[in-house]
Amino acid sequence: DGGITQSPKYLFRKEGQNVTLSCEQNLNHDAMYWYRQDPGQGLRLIYYSQIVNDFQKGDIAEGYSVSREKKESFPLTVTSAQKNPTAFYLCASRPDGYSNQPQHFGDGTRLSIL
Amino acid sequence: AQSVTQLGSHVSVSEGALVLLRCNYSSSVPPYLFWYVQYPNQGLQLLLKYTTGATLVKGINGFEAEFKKSETSFHLTKPSAHMSDAAEYFCAVSGNAGGTSYGKLTFGQGTILTVHP
């Protein structure tokens, strides 16, 4: 079945450490997104990519980095500059950038600080 | 700029009762509107969407929503709640594609639905 796979499901970060969250999709979608979810705050956009080798900052990009070297992959790195990384991270994709296409979501990665 | 307000962070109903989750939006262009549901420790699943055409939209699991432009609302309803409906629900808005927005989704803060037996 086609879908979005996020790994790992749970991740722990030590102080000063960078960690990378994986997102892979086999839906042949062009556009991919990373969101951060905190209780009571909904979802906030970190980065998005409309096409391979191109990506844009979202609303809360500071302390995060991404790459889009392959159509099916959009990894997110949480750097040591992100001082409050504890959150639930969701990856999403859609066929293209048109607004009437709904986004499809993975099952998320929960990141905590050791 | 666009924004979404979900009235009520928590809603509690009895099994079999009407479910009403409220969503108001702000958008400078005709919006596209979505409702998603999230079960604990899972991703978001699309319930329904409004793009153009009929203002009453039917979704999965018996949910429906009505787009009211004059009230800038897109409330979610279900005539009879089931225990399995207990989850968090998110309303989201997206403007028309164009410029640099690329169909960016803006989410509300979410409403947790509790269903009592």
Side-chain angles (χ1 to χ4, degrees), chain A residues 9-10 33 35 37 40-43 45 48 50 59 88 90 94 97-103 105-107 110, chain B residues 32 34 36 38 41-44 46 49 51 88 90 94-97 100-105 107-110:
Chain A
K9 193 167 180 63
Y10 299 95
Y33 305 81
Y35 293 92
Q37 185 178 15
Q41 296 193 43
L43 278 71
L45 183 64
Y48 63 99
Q50 296 295 114
D59 299 319
F88 191 50
L90 287 162
R94 75 194 321 178
Y98 298 120
S99 296
N100 63 352
Q101 299 285 341
Q103 293 183 14
F105 285 82
D107 280 340
R110 189 167 297 280
Chain B
Y32 296 129
F34 306 86
Y36 285 88
Q38 184 182 35
N41 292 313
Q42 293 186 22
L44 274 65
L46 180 70
K49 67 176 183 179
T51 53
E88 188 163 15
F90 291 92
S94 177
N96 285 313
T100 59
S101 68
Y102 287 113
K104 175 185 167 183
L105 272 181
F107 287 86
Q109 296 89 338

Side-chain angles (χ1 to χ4, degrees), chain A residues 17-70:
Chain A
Q17 185 182 43
N18 294 351
V19 292
T20 297
L21 284 61
S22 171
C23 177
E24 302 278 332
Q25 54 98 0
N26 60 2
L27 299 167
N28 199 34
H29 286 174
D30 283 325
M32 298 186 74
Y33 305 81
W34 273 107
Y35 293 92
R36 172 179 171 139
Q37 185 178 15
D38 297 279
Q41 296 193 43
L43 278 71
R44 292 181 289 169
L45 183 64
I46 305 173
Y47 269 98
Y48 63 99
S49 169
Q50 296 295 114
I51 198 169
V52 174
N53 294 321
D54 183 61
F55 49 83
Q56 305 294 330
K57 292 182 178 180
D59 299 319
I60 56 165
E62 185 175 351
Y64 301 96
S65 66
V66 294
S67 63
R68 187 82 187 278
E69 298 177 358
K70 297 185 295 184

Side-chain angles (χ1 to χ4, degrees), chain B residues 44-57:
Chain B
L44 274 65
Q45 179 183 2
L46 180 70
L47 276 177
L48 48 81
K49 67 176 183 179
Y50 169 79
T51 53
T52 58
T55 56
L56 183 61
V57 181

